[in-house]
Amino acid sequence: MTAAPPTALLVLDVNETLTDLRPLAGRFVDVGAPAHLVPRWFATVLRDGFGLAAAGASARFADLAADALRTVLHGEDLDGDLDAAVDHVLAGLAELPLHPDVAPGLRALRDAGHRVVALTNGAAAQAEQLLARGGVVDDLEAVLSVEDAGVWKPARAAYEHAARTCGVPLAGATLVACHPWDVDGAARSGLGTVWVDRTGSPYPRSLTAPDLRVTGLDDLARRLGRRAAGAGRP
């Protein structure tokens, strides 16, 4: 079988798309907070980041993450000081593992000749550290951050930053993300889109549907190997 030609550029989201947030639950338990607060905390971080983006402003992921922790931990019977609890939980971000499909998927995409970069709403240095710990940073052409765009995804300027940095038009880039809001934002900005759905969950009907739905990066590599990537998209 002839392999499909490479897409112009695959742009990978980082938080939850590549990294697994579930181990943070242990950090919450360590400080005396319930494990189920992890999704609420992360949703609060995203809410505030999106709110700032909608207002034309921005803030560092680390700052919003700390503020959101103080919010969700307020009123909990913590084992110690609130600031110490916040520091302990945030320290776990640097130790998050990658999903099992990420390393083999990235390696297969690289070997097939695809250009692949990461684009995070967090800091590039922290994302690079995580990806290096997972043994995949060398499989990426670059690790980019919205901090250099001045606005969070899903604002158009964030995707424009990635495309411009890599020297491709928006139409030549394809976002790969597990978040429907990211898929929708990229689609509205003119990118191709791939939704990474590891749980079989329904996609929101009110958001722009993805061009391709996969169960992981390994599945994406297989799918790109079986079909033509017409117009630079999967």
Side-chain angles (χ1 to χ4, degrees):
M1 179 183 297
T2 302
T7 58
L9 183 71
L10 293 172
V11 181
L12 276 55
D13 173 53
V14 176
N15 291 322
E16 291 195 299
T17 298
L18 303 183
T19 61
D20 188 351
L21 292 182
R22 290 176 296 181
L24 278 183
R27 292 266 173 171
F28 275 73
V29 173
D30 288 345
V31 301
H36 65 74
L37 288 180
V38 174
R40 178 180 162 193
W41 162 74
F42 191 61
T44 303
V45 177
L46 294 179
R47 179 202 67 190
D48 294 346
F50 297 163
L52 287 171
S58 185
R60 294 174 62 247
F61 181 92
D63 295 335
L64 293 182
D67 289 342
L69 271 174
R70 292 187 177 91
T71 297
V72 300
L73 293 179
H74 177 72
E76 296 294 332
D77 186 18
L78 301 178
D79 293 337
D81 177 73
L82 175 60
D83 287 338
V86 169
D87 290 343
H88 180 73
V89 173
L90 290 182
L93 289 174
E95 301 176 1
L96 292 177
L98 303 179
H99 290 288
D101 59 273
V102 171
L106 279 177
R107 200 158 297 119
L109 291 169
R110 179 203 63 190
D111 291 347
H114 296 285
R115 295 183 66 189
V116 187
V117 300
L119 176 63
T120 178
N121 274 342
Q126 184 170 61
E128 285 183 3
Q129 179 183 359
L130 284 172
L131 296 169
R133 287 182 72 252
V136 300
V137 72
D138 291 336
D139 296 318
L140 296 163
E141 181 177 317
V143 179
L144 308 174
S145 170
V146 300
E147 291 181 357
D148 296 315
V151 66
W152 277 37
K153 297 181 295 170
R156 180 186 177 95
Y159 306 113
E160 287 178 331
H161 165 68
R164 182 172 59 252
T165 301
C166 297
V168 302
L170 281 173
T174 294
L175 179 82
V176 181
C178 70
H179 303 289
W181 56 262
D182 209 354
V183 170
D184 178 79
R188 293 178 189 275
S189 298
L191 286 77
T193 55
V194 175
W195 183 39
V196 180
D197 176 24
R198 294 185 175 93
T199 63
S201 57
Y203 190 88
R205 295 181 180 178
S206 57
L207 302 185
T208 308
D211 297 321
L212 185 64
R213 179 174 181 161
V214 299
T215 59
L217 294 195
D218 51 356
D219 184 33
L220 173 61
R222 286 192 295 269
R223 298 283 291 275
L224 289 181
R226 289 201 303 264
R227 58 186 289 179
R233 295 185 176 185

